[in-house]
Amino acid sequence: FGEAAGRDEAVTVDGGASSDKVVVHGSLANDTITVARVQATNTLVTVSPGGTDWKRIDLAENSANSLTVAAGDGVDTINVSGTGGPALTVDGGAATNSQPGAADTVAVTLATAGTTIISPGATPDAGFIEGPNDETAAAELDDVNFVGIEFVTVTGAGAGATVQVDGTHGNDSIAAANVNGGDRVWVNDRAVVTFANYATLALNGRFGDDQFSVSPVDLSATVTAITVIGGDPSSSDVLIVNGDTTPTADEAIRFEPTAADAGNVRIGPATEPTITFSTTESVIINGQGGNDDLTVISTAGEDTVTVTPGATVDSGSVRVNSLVPMSFTNLGATGTLVIDDSAGGNNDVLVY
């Protein structure tokens, strides 16, 4: 279905009990396409090239096994909401470029609390959005396959909602930060993920030697926790945690190792999100100036804490026993390093 369908009243498509596939085409212009999925009723698709609505397509319940929205040329935005209906694939068409506002976007709004997972596909512009309803009996009713997409936006249900962004099976560079007013995640050269109204951000490296760069300070207040999972192999994943770039930030940074590949980091007061990491074999804390105070929490047992100065006055490394090693840099000329052993035993050793 496309422009030839006309612009008057809606067209209802009902394929009956057979296994049908429905494809809705966009135009050659810049389209806004809306897919409203309504469980137990129709799925509604509206194509609006240049702000002019074409005829709406009403896809009757159980009338098709799959629905493909083929946006075609142009800079297109495909908005998806609701649950139910046939399996959905969004095809943005040929890529234009990777600049914000100049490529195709799929924007998915999810009203159910739970975990939204964004996984990579076979090409940088392809992937899969698995909605929270996969955790319920209504499995797959809010999932979206996508291809030809340069930007992904997901909006969650707030408290109790987690967005998980997966890496590939290879070596990945994964970054999370607030840029231009939006909370975003980058995985290599893949579609950029913008997320909103999620309480927890999870970064899952899966396989390969992965490097994570997380800037938690400016993320939206709705983000209360961050999880980093390095995955396999178990010897080569790196987590970089970045502080505030404001020269006068003077941040309190807290690092607590809990295993040879696990621990937690927080930049700022307890109201800021804590980054909890696992299967991640080294940590780098970049204070980015501002005369920060870095505190390392030792264990409740008898510890040997090794502190090694770095090449500059505000850099170095710390390791508690054989737990995950941490290096730090750019704390500022009057930044401080504190080893907090208040919970430890009576025979702790500091090696400097």
Side-chain angles (χ1 to χ4, degrees):
F1 295 89
E3 183 175 13
R7 295 182 174 84
D8 298 323
E9 297 181 2
V11 170
T12 299
V13 178
D14 190 342
S18 58
S19 298
D20 299 308
K21 176 180 180 180
V22 174
V23 180
V24 178
H25 292 279
S27 74
L28 299 179
N30 299 337
D31 298 325
T32 298
I33 302 176
T34 301
V35 180
R37 310 165 92 175
V38 184
Q39 190 174 358
T41 59
N42 293 5
T43 293
L44 314 179
V45 184
T46 303
V47 182
S48 303
T52 301
D53 286 353
W54 285 355
K55 183 173 292 185
R56 192 185 73 207
I57 308 299
D58 290 5
L59 187 59
E61 180 194 8
N62 300 324
S63 66
N65 292 91
S66 66
L67 167 64
T68 297
V69 175
D73 294 337
V75 180
D76 306 311
T77 298
I78 301 92
N79 298 310
V80 181
S81 63
T83 62
L88 176 61
T89 297
V90 172
D91 186 347
T96 50
N97 60 54
S98 59
Q99 297 303 312
D104 299 316
T105 300
V106 59
V108 181
T109 300
L110 299 145
T112 304
T115 301
T116 302
I117 302 175
I118 303 167
S119 302
T123 58
D125 62 354
F128 183 69
I129 303 170
E130 180 182 307
N133 276 309
D134 270 24
E135 303 171 6
T136 71
E140 302 182 5
L141 293 181
D142 52 6
D143 296 346
V144 179
N145 284 287
F146 64 87
V147 65
I149 294 294
E150 288 73 48
F151 296 94
V152 174
T153 298
V154 289
T155 302
T162 296
V163 58
Q164 175 178 310
V165 181
D166 287 347
T168 70
H169 288 176
N171 301 335
D172 296 318
S173 177
I174 301 175
N178 185 292
V179 175
N180 296 326
D183 295 336
R184 310 187 198 281
V185 176
W186 295 260
V187 179
N188 306 326
D189 61 346
R190 309 194 74 86
V192 179
V193 176
T194 300
F195 63 95
N197 209 29
Y198 283 94
T200 300
L201 167 64
L203 305 176
N204 182 18
R206 302 170 82 186
F207 301 98
D209 300 331
D210 303 316
Q211 178 175 288
F212 302 86
S213 178
V214 180
S215 301
V217 175
D218 293 324
L219 292 178
S220 301
T222 53
V223 180
T224 59
I226 301 171
T227 301
V228 173
I229 306 166
D232 291 329
S234 58
S235 61
S236 50
D237 298 313
V238 179
L239 168 62
I240 301 171
V241 182
N242 302 299
D244 197 332
T245 58
T246 305
T248 57
D250 296 340
E251 296 162 317
I253 305 174
R254 183 184 188 277
F255 170 73
E256 181 178 13
T258 57
D261 60 356
N264 58 77
V265 183
R266 188 182 71 231
I267 295 183
T271 53
E272 293 293 328
T274 295
I275 303 170
T276 302
F277 62 91
S278 61
T279 57
T280 302
E281 290 73 41
S282 65
V283 176
I284 300 171
I285 295 175
N286 183 358
Q288 303 202 99
N291 300 318
D292 304 313
D293 300 317
L294 171 60
T295 299
V296 177
I297 310 298
S298 64
T299 76
E302 296 182 352
D303 299 316
T304 296
V305 181
T306 302
V307 179
T308 304
T312 60
V313 69
D314 59 350
S315 66
S317 63
V318 179
R319 190 164 195 180
V320 178
N321 304 320
S322 296
L323 303 180
V324 59
M326 181 272 292
S327 61
F328 60 91
T329 186
N330 295 324
L331 294 185
T334 60
T336 64
L337 171 66
V338 175
I339 308 299
D340 185 347
D341 192 46
S342 58
N346 296 323
N347 297 305
D348 295 323
V349 175
L350 174 65
V351 179
Y352 180 76

